Amino acid sequence: MPDGAATTTGFTRIMLKISGEALMGDQGFGLNPPTVERIAKQVKTIHDLGVEVCMVIGGGNIFRGLQGSAQGMERTTADYMGMLATVMNALAMQSALEALKINTRVISAIPMDQVCEPYIRRRAVRHLEKKRVCIFAAGTGNPFFTTDTAATLRASEMKCQAIFKGTQVDGIYDSDPKTNPDAKRYDRVTYDEVLAKNLKVMDASAIALARDNALPIIVFSLSAPGGLAGIVQGEGKYTMVTQ
């Protein structure tokens, strides 16, 4: 880590996973530029601390493959449409980060050379070593896999030390705290407990992949005071999923 880095948790390379819905603000759909900018500023704060940042952004604010399939669309086609939505979100985040003078690369699992790079692991690692933010788009490039699984896969390939999952709540609860005031909050939980209790953190494939690679998952609120930088510096509320 470079001189002046101020992290206290020891994280030097992380995966930040956020949903597409996190980018739409109060609109209910699409992209809200001020919201994208606010998240980009959070990424900048940890980048300035010397942390190497990977990102995966969902596409649910534009199109969700599973919902399209439920409405009669062929599942594979719907999933590919969802992957393309993640590329749109990645490009929006790239624009916001580069406006903040952060060098950023969008790397797509589906080749589209005019707008982003194809995924080549060694090249992506080199971007991180050069302190560029890498936004991995188009999921794994395969239907039937979520962006949660894509984030876990890319985090494992990039040798990230943790996945930071930004949500609307400050950790993992046994039920929705927005509708149940008695919901129990966990400070720490194991992968097996998440699977056994069906806690809504990530899909089962992502949790199993994280468990197999001993990759911690940190669930936190994107809107909490201090946000991402606070968590990296050992402050704030969050839930950690570990062995």
Side-chain angles (χ1 to χ4, degrees):
M1 184 176 291
D3 293 340
T7 65
T8 58
T9 55
F11 292 121
T12 56
R13 181 179 295 175
I14 70 161
M15 167 63 73
L16 174 61
K17 168 62 173 70
I18 60 176
S19 66
E21 287 89 341
L23 304 185
M24 65 188 185
D26 297 327
Q27 294 179 155
F29 64 93
L31 286 157
N32 179 249
T35 301
V36 177
E37 181 183 6
R38 177 178 59 80
I39 295 172
K41 286 179 177 177
Q42 289 203 43
V43 174
K44 183 181 188 301
T45 58
I46 64 169
H47 182 271
D48 289 348
L49 292 172
V51 179
E52 297 169 1
V53 183
C54 308
M55 294 183 71
V56 168
I57 306 171
N61 57 319
I62 299 171
F63 187 86
R64 186 179 293 278
L66 201 56
Q67 290 179 352
S69 176
Q71 294 174 16
M73 186 176 291
E74 196 269 325
R75 173 66 188 271
T76 301
T77 299
D79 278 357
Y80 278 120
M81 291 173 67
M83 291 179 218
L84 296 179
T86 72
V87 177
M88 295 172 68
N89 285 339
L91 292 171
M93 183 59 66
Q94 178 185 44
S95 178
L97 285 167
E98 294 198 334
L100 298 172
K101 311 301 183 187
I102 304 295
N103 289 327
T104 306
R105 296 291 186 272
V106 173
I107 302 171
S108 173
I110 298 175
M112 47 187 82
D113 296 345
Q114 289 180 305
V115 294
C116 50
E117 293 184 8
Y119 176 68
I120 300 171
R121 187 187 66 83
R122 291 173 65 90
R123 181 188 292 175
V125 169
R126 187 65 179 138
H127 285 322
L128 291 171
E129 291 172 348
K130 291 182 176 180
K131 307 306 176 186
R132 296 165 181 158
V133 172
C134 289
I135 307 175
F136 296 105
T140 65
N142 300 289
F144 301 98
F145 290 94
T146 67
T147 51
D148 282 342
T149 301
T152 310
L153 174 63
R154 297 294 183 236
S156 300
E157 290 179 300
M158 295 298 107
K159 300 188 184 305
C160 293
Q161 293 151 330
I163 299 173
F164 282 63
K165 180 159 185 183
T167 68
Q168 296 180 340
V169 293
D170 59 2
I172 300 172
Y173 290 77
D174 63 355
S175 58
D176 188 348
K178 294 182 177 180
T179 58
N180 178 14
D182 297 321
K184 176 187 174 184
R185 182 181 175 280
Y186 299 92
D187 286 324
R188 187 176 293 261
V189 65
T190 68
Y191 305 107
D192 289 338
E193 286 178 303
V194 169
L195 294 171
K197 296 178 181 179
N198 195 28
L199 301 176
K200 304 300 182 182
V201 184
M202 291 179 161
D203 65 82
S205 296
I207 295 295
L209 183 59
R211 178 189 61 193
D212 293 346
N213 290 281
L215 186 61
I217 302 168
I218 295 170
V219 181
F220 71 102
S221 171
L222 278 170
S223 59
L228 184 56
I231 304 298
V232 167
Q233 293 175 292
E235 304 168 357
K237 292 177 68 176
Y238 57 89
T239 299
M240 180 176 285
V241 183
T242 56
Q243 296 284 14

